[in-house]
Amino acid sequence: MPKNRRKTVRMKCHDYSDPGHYFITICTHNMECIYGQVLNGEMTLNEWGRIVETAWKDLACHYTRTIVDCSVVMPNHVHAIIVLQPRENLDNNDSARDTASCVATVPTHEFGKAISESLPTVVRSFKAGVTKA
């Protein structure tokens, strides 16, 4: 019996390893509120929400082309903007990268024949690291 597959929201002819700013939304399974709750208009993270937040902020420590511009963890999803830098600009931007707050929570290995440091590879590693944690 075929699995129910969601329709992809990816652009068909876009190379997601290309440099650029990418807006990401990652939802929990069945939109369950497992990362915390909104109290008095403020998001209060629980332990799982803090794991997600830490892993997300830590991505740039594992992927040299990746800058996490901004992000917010909500009760049942995460919104973020990820910047993939051009490969030739990496040497010039290394001094601007803040690695002092990096925590080793996200694995750096690739799955299958993924393109190194492409957006799908970064997101897949984030999800795997959160699941493992």
Side-chain angles (χ1 to χ4, degrees):
M1 191 165 191
K3 290 183 178 182
N4 291 334
R5 302 285 264 162
R6 291 184 302 142
K7 183 179 176 184
T8 183
V9 293
R10 294 183 186 175
M11 295 187 310
K12 290 182 181 181
C13 296
H14 183 72
D15 181 352
Y16 284 92
S17 63
D18 282 348
H21 291 68
Y22 295 93
F23 178 74
I24 307 291
T25 300
I26 301 173
C27 299
T28 61
H29 181 68
N30 292 329
M31 296 298 289
E32 292 180 52
C33 295
I34 59 173
Y35 298 144
Q37 58 186 334
V38 177
L39 297 172
N40 299 321
E42 277 193 46
M43 180 60 196
T44 303
L45 298 175
N46 60 21
E47 182 180 357
W48 291 357
R50 287 188 295 276
I51 288 170
V52 168
E53 184 178 58
T54 300
W56 195 260
K57 289 178 179 178
D58 197 43
L59 281 175
C61 298
H62 300 280
Y63 293 96
T64 56
R65 294 183 58 208
T66 302
I67 296 173
V68 177
D69 190 8
C70 60
S71 62
V72 62
V73 179
M74 298 302 292
N76 61 0
H77 64 282
V78 177
H79 290 298
I81 297 175
I82 290 182
V83 180
L84 292 184
Q85 301 179 86
R87 292 182 193 280
E88 62 271 8
N89 290 347
L90 292 181
D91 292 336
N92 298 335
N93 290 330
D94 280 343
S95 61
R97 183 175 305 279
D98 176 20
T99 57
S101 62
C102 295
V103 180
T105 57
V106 180
T108 58
H109 63 279
E110 295 176 7
F111 299 87
K113 295 182 181 182
I115 298 171
S116 177
E117 299 213 32
S118 67
L119 187 62
T121 298
V122 172
V123 171
R124 186 171 36 248
S125 288
F126 162 75
K127 288 180 175 184
V130 167
T131 300
K132 185 176 180 179

